[in-house]
Amino acid sequence: MNISAENIGKKYSKKSRSVTAVQTTSAEFESGKLTVIFGRSGSGKTTLLNILSGLIKPTSGSVTYDGKDIFSLDDRELSKFRAGNIGYIPQGQSSLSALTVAENLTLPAALVGRDIPDDEVEKMLKTVGLTDLKNAYPNELSGGELRRLAIARALINKPSVIFADEPTNDLDDENTRIVFELLKKTAKQGTAVIAVTHDTTAADHADTIYRMDAGVLTKQEGIKREIA
Ligand SMILES: Nc1ncnc2c1ncn2[C@@H]1O[C@H](COP(=O)(O)OP(=O)(O)O)[C@@H](O)[C@H]1O
Ligand SMILES: [Mg+2]
């Protein structure tokens, strides 16, 4: 899947003030690549991800997936498109505390009427190193384990695109490494992976690096890095 953002911009207007969260920008994201977008808090990263993933409409510009303009779809079509093609790893904790790890994992699929066979659940839990926690509840999991569960939940639908919003926020070095290696591996298998972060270790795993500063997105060219 080739994602193309053309002249997208986002201005939040409120009575008292208006904020330009994303300055007009264009960018392309490809299958098989891990793109990392660095930026400080408040620089517009979440807004950008939300636009690229179709969660919020830009004030200007368009977002196309393999040439298809996602904002020309009506709400129902867009939800269906998102469910079928996009995995979103939101910032922070996103598991439901009353459900087990396995139930949390299969919930998004269940919501769109898809039953995930148990062997697929087990395989995914193994991929993210949560095999022994299948029947545990979120409050029994560490921060790193919760984040890996969120990643597994995004991956299990085999989306063609994954968005991750600060996926290693609050994680220790070891879990940070595990998470980025997982995202890198996912990209290598053909998914377009786009992660925003302020964790500079992500650069070691990225194929393409952007920087976001006060709403301005800039591609970083020619940065030397060891590719994992
Ligand atoms: N729903 C909203 N309404 C008004 N302003 C917003 C909204 N969401 C974000 N902003 C503002 O847009 C700017 C960028 O925010 P955000 O995209 O969350 O940045 P980041 O993810 O890099 O921290 C900030 O100034 C923030 O206050
Ligand atoms: Mg954010």
Side-chain angles (χ1 to χ4, degrees):
M1 192 76 88
N2 187 57
I3 303 141
S4 174
E6 247 181 84
N7 298 318
I8 54 164
K10 178 71 185 179
K11 196 170 173 177
Y12 292 110
S13 297
K14 289 205 173 144
K15 256 184 259 157
S16 51
R17 60 179 199 132
S18 80
V19 179
T20 303
V22 177
Q23 302 277 359
T24 308
T25 192
S26 298
E28 299 229 357
F29 306 93
E30 295 168 51
S31 298
K33 294 268 156 69
L34 170 59
T35 302
V36 170
I37 302 168
F38 290 111
R40 264 177 275 169
S41 180
S43 58
K45 303 183 301 299
T46 296
T47 302
L48 178 69
L49 275 202
N50 286 344
I51 293 170
L52 294 173
S53 63
L55 272 176
I56 60 171
K57 263 201 165 107
T59 319
S60 64
S62 64
V63 176
T64 57
Y65 279 62
D66 284 348
K68 178 200 197 96
D69 181 347
I70 57 169
F71 293 110
S72 69
L73 302 172
D74 66 30
D75 284 355
R76 208 181 53 87
E77 289 169 332
L78 181 55
S79 297
K80 201 171 156 212
F81 179 80
R82 295 187 78 253
N85 296 282
I86 297 175
Y88 197 102
I89 302 161
Q91 197 169 355
Q93 218 292 92
S94 56
S95 305
L96 295 180
S97 57
L99 302 182
T100 65
V101 164
E103 288 164 348
N104 267 290
L105 185 54
T106 53
L107 183 68
L111 289 176
V112 293
R114 206 163 80 78
D115 228 2
I116 296 176
D118 210 45
D119 59 326
E120 257 185 67
V121 171
E122 307 249 331
K123 203 171 145 209
M124 183 50 70
L125 289 176
K126 189 165 175 231
T127 303
V128 298
L130 294 177
T131 301
D132 297 339
L133 292 165
K134 186 180 175 192
N135 298 310
Y137 287 87
N139 66 4
E140 300 168 63
L141 272 57
S142 70
E145 288 161 350
L146 285 170
R147 209 57 60 88
R148 282 184 267 141
L149 172 57
I151 293 174
R153 199 174 38 206
L155 292 179
I156 199 148
N157 278 329
K158 302 188 179 73
S160 12
V161 189
I162 297 255
F163 293 98
D165 195 352
E166 312 238 15
T168 59
N169 214 8
D170 304 325
L171 296 188
D172 56 31
D173 290 352
E174 172 69 0
N175 273 295
T176 295
R177 189 184 56 77
I178 292 171
V179 165
F180 281 120
E181 281 177 1
L182 208 53
L183 293 175
K184 176 72 180 180
K185 191 173 141 203
T186 304
K188 271 192 176 154
Q189 288 166 353
T191 309
V193 183
I194 299 141
V196 307
T197 183
H198 51 246
D199 198 327
T200 51
T201 61
D204 298 342
H205 306 277
D207 295 302
T208 310
I209 298 176
Y210 284 88
R211 198 159 277 286
M212 192 141 194
D213 192 15
V216 179
L217 185 71
T218 314
K219 195 170 187 172
Q220 306 291 109
E221 306 280 2
I223 287 179
K224 248 184 131 186
R225 52 186 188 266
E226 318 105 54
I227 299 293

